[in-house]
Amino acid sequence: MKILFIGDIVGAPGREAVKKLLPGLKKEFALDFAIANAENAAGGSGVTLKVVEELFAAGLDVLTSGDHIWKKKEIFEFINGEGRLLRPLNFPTGAPGRGWGLFKAKNTPVGVINVNGRVFMEALDCPFRTSRQAQEELSEDAKIIIVDIHAEATSEKVALGWYLDGKVSAVLGTHTHIQTADEKILPNGTAYITDVGMTGAYDSVIGRRVEDVLERFLTAVPVRFEVAEGNVQLHAVVLDIEENSGKARSIIRIQKKL
Ligand SMILES: [Fe+2]
Ligand SMILES: [Fe+2]
């Protein structure tokens, strides 16, 4: 089973990269399933129904998210009705939407779990215990389980990789928007990377206009961050997973220029 996971899609340039590059990636890697983190897909922060529909139409099967999921108000109108869009599962009870789901690729069940870190981030429920719980429920129906750990601290992501090693097919980091070079298969068969990277403009500060972010750093005054446009790239990983065991055979990093 070949699964693509695309790192945080930032704004219109990121969506354009997905639309233009995904068909080629599907052919090149004989992909069976495609997941992307979409938390920054609408104007650089949050998602709208239109953007979500656009990304599914582009060929993505499941969208994950993160701390920016609630930024566009209309999310509350549609997230309960769209099971293919996940929000971090460790928001406290009562938050709308779902943090994990069971899907199908080539008639094979695929579980996807989305969880936020809480080091240098909002204090949510425990990402370790909640993702283990979701894994246990999904494991009743699926061998293949992909986890998006949306977190700031590398240590927290690395630790979750070890915690879920052998229990899920992959633990993939998002949120920091910088692809890390530590992709590996852990001893018990779980693919791991600390950050998949970003899909958007790379002449930027993690997808936003350099001038805006610099002004914020230089003055510490709130500044509106516009989405940057130059040097658009799609960053992702391709997983090859053994279907009977759910163990990963390989994880390959991808960086494609638009
Ligand atoms: Fe992000
Ligand atoms: Fe984030």
Side-chain angles (χ1 to χ4, degrees):
M1 168 82 59
K2 296 282 193 68
I3 297 180
L4 179 76
F5 188 103
I6 298 176
D8 299 36
I9 300 166
V10 181
R15 302 200 306 273
E16 205 50 33
V18 171
K19 277 188 267 184
K20 296 232 170 87
L21 297 171
L22 185 55
L25 288 169
K26 285 194 175 192
K27 274 195 206 124
E28 183 180 347
F29 294 99
L31 298 174
D32 303 299
F33 201 69
I35 308 166
N37 188 302
E39 70 148 5
N40 305 111
S45 198
V47 285
T48 59
L49 184 58
K50 190 170 160 270
V51 157
V52 164
E53 283 172 348
E54 188 185 325
L55 292 173
F56 287 134
L60 291 168
D61 297 295
V62 173
L63 300 175
T64 58
S65 63
D67 51 312
H68 285 113
I69 182 65
W70 314 119
K71 289 285 165 69
K72 298 276 184 285
K73 263 186 264 163
E74 65 171 270
I75 183 75
F76 297 103
E77 288 160 25
F78 71 87
I79 193 164
N80 282 328
E82 181 46 87
R84 296 171 298 170
L85 169 65
L86 302 178
R87 49 90 171 154
L89 70 85
N90 49 339
F91 277 97
T93 307
R98 286 180 59 83
W100 53 277
L102 185 63
F103 308 96
K104 272 207 167 136
K106 292 194 310 185
N107 270 331
T108 303
V110 175
V112 182
I113 297 173
N114 186 190
V115 64
N116 260 17
R118 56 180 179 178
V119 176
F120 309 129
M121 296 179 84
E122 195 175 2
L124 300 179
D125 292 346
C126 175
F128 293 84
R129 290 186 174 85
T130 52
S131 54
R132 172 67 67 83
Q133 238 167 29
Q135 169 265 310
E136 281 170 359
E137 286 196 47
L138 279 170
S139 290
E140 290 174 14
D141 301 302
K143 291 283 183 198
I144 300 174
I145 300 174
I146 310 298
V147 179
D148 174 354
I149 166 67
H150 193 81
E152 192 78 50
T154 52
S155 60
E156 195 175 22
K157 302 195 222 190
V158 171
L160 189 74
W162 288 111
Y163 186 67
L164 295 176
D165 180 26
K167 304 216 173 311
V168 302
S169 309
V171 173
L172 309 173
T174 59
H175 176 70
T176 41
H177 291 206
I178 305 289
Q179 190 178 77
T180 55
D182 63 337
E183 77 277 18
K184 72 189 87 169
I185 309 292
L186 293 166
N188 295 312
T190 296
Y192 176 82
I193 188 167
T194 296
D195 201 296
V196 174
M198 171 188 82
T199 295
Y202 273 78
D203 288 347
S204 74
V205 178
I206 62 171
R208 312 303 175 87
R209 277 206 331 206
V210 173
E211 312 86 276
D212 302 342
V213 179
L214 271 179
E215 191 185 334
R216 168 77 173 273
F217 275 119
L218 290 169
T219 63
V221 166
V223 175
R224 194 184 148 79
F225 294 164
E226 299 294 341
V227 171
E229 287 174 353
N231 185 17
V232 178
Q233 298 182 29
L234 181 154
H235 288 194
V237 291
V238 174
L239 306 163
D240 183 6
I241 296 163
E242 211 273 306
E243 287 172 39
N244 294 325
S245 64
K247 289 186 190 302
R249 291 193 191 99
S250 65
I251 173 170
I252 302 168
R253 279 187 290 127
I254 308 282
Q255 298 188 354
K256 291 269 186 202
K257 272 203 167 202
L258 186 61

